[in-house]
Amino acid sequence: MSANTELNKDFLVSIICRTMGRPHLAKALSSLAEQTHHDLEVLLVNASGTNLTSYIKIEPELNIREIEGVGKLSRAAAANAGLEAASGPYLMFLDDDDWIAPEHIAVLLNVLLNKPRVSAVYSCTQKTREDGSLTEEVFQQPYDSALLLRDNFMPIHSVLFKRELVDLGCRFDTGLKIFEDWDFWLQLSKHTDFEFVNTISAFYREGGDSQTNQKNISVRYQADHILGAARAKLFDKWLQKWSGSDLNRLLGSMDQGEHIRSQGEQIRSLEGEIKQRDDLLHAEHKSNLELQQHVRDLLNEQKEIKELVTDVHLLNKDLKTHNDLLKEYILLLKSSLSWRITKPLRWVMAWLRGSVNESGEDGTTNFKA
């Protein structure tokens, strides 16, 4: 969409992009240029005083307005500068190291248009590594006003909200260096519930400057850690605003959380037992396969032995038959006339060989006709 194209003000979405001029800004702006909803204005809040001309030229089709502050701006101050400059009835944030899917704005806006009593809507967010490759972690917590009292579960660019909430006085607290977005959602929650859309359409790059990305969640409760101190500061502010009902819901969510954790431990224990049994079954299955192979080998050897025995029987039978034939042939020779006529000659030959005994006979035959 050309920056000069006339926009439909009734459906105009103002995207507030706080930037420090980091290289990832190109990816963020590219994801805005690919949106299926085209009535957009991009408020590029220059929080570092960096020259952003080269980034703006990358996406000339986008309707971009650069918002410059005096010197460097804090995260909260940059957000407020964007809120003040926005002109659309619908607003969202997109920091320069994150990005959104092409249908992100269209899907969320459709919910707000069809549910007039809802003033804020959010989708699931996929966490990515620094290089943009996806991880398995997804922020996909359905809305729970009690849970929001003790934790933020909505990344800032996953939410689309109505400008009327800003008109009611919702602003970012410049006294908060961390969790300023959580504080802002708490302000919005005083005026509206959030609608949850169970689809991944936002992407959060780890390694940003919010300092809230800690794998060890226990540090959030340590007074001497930056996250623990920041949470304490936020609670100091909100304890003066929460009613007894709010605190009761907070305690109830904590009890439910303990119950869920207890169930989780039981499930993990059962999963451990199942794994042990699976390992045992796998070992037994492997042993059975080896035994079956051994049996097959023995049967093959037995078959070969039977075949050898059969061959021996056949050979013996052939030898016996051959031997019987030889005997019959010898008898036939001895009974023949030529055998009797040559008997004296055989005797002389035997005598010459010294095999005639003293009686005048050879070892086998008498000299008789």
Side-chain angles (χ1 to χ4, degrees), residues 61 111 156 187 239:
E61 298 299 306
V111 173
I156 194 167
Q187 294 179 52
L239 280 174

Side-chain angles (χ1 to χ4, degrees), residues 151-221:
D151 274 307
N152 180 26
F153 48 83
M154 295 178 288
I156 194 167
H157 58 303
S158 69
V159 184
L160 179 69
F161 56 96
K162 294 180 180 179
R163 182 180 178 80
E164 63 188 38
L165 297 171
V166 178
D167 295 337
L168 291 171
C170 296
R171 292 292 188 279
F172 282 72
D173 188 339
T174 56
L176 299 176
K177 294 183 179 180
I178 304 177
F179 299 129
E180 77 285 350
D181 52 344
W182 180 12
D183 173 76
F184 187 68
W185 302 147
L186 286 171
Q187 294 179 52
L188 265 58
S189 70
K190 288 293 184 180
H191 306 287
T192 183
D193 284 333
F194 289 67
E195 185 75 15
F196 172 58
V197 177
N198 191 15
T199 183
I200 298 174
S201 59
F203 301 90
Y204 168 75
R205 194 189 306 267
E206 67 180 4
D209 58 6
S210 69
Q211 305 181 66
T212 59
N213 181 28
Q214 288 285 341
K215 293 183 179 180
N216 181 10
I217 63 173
S218 65
V219 300
R220 299 186 301 173
Y221 311 109

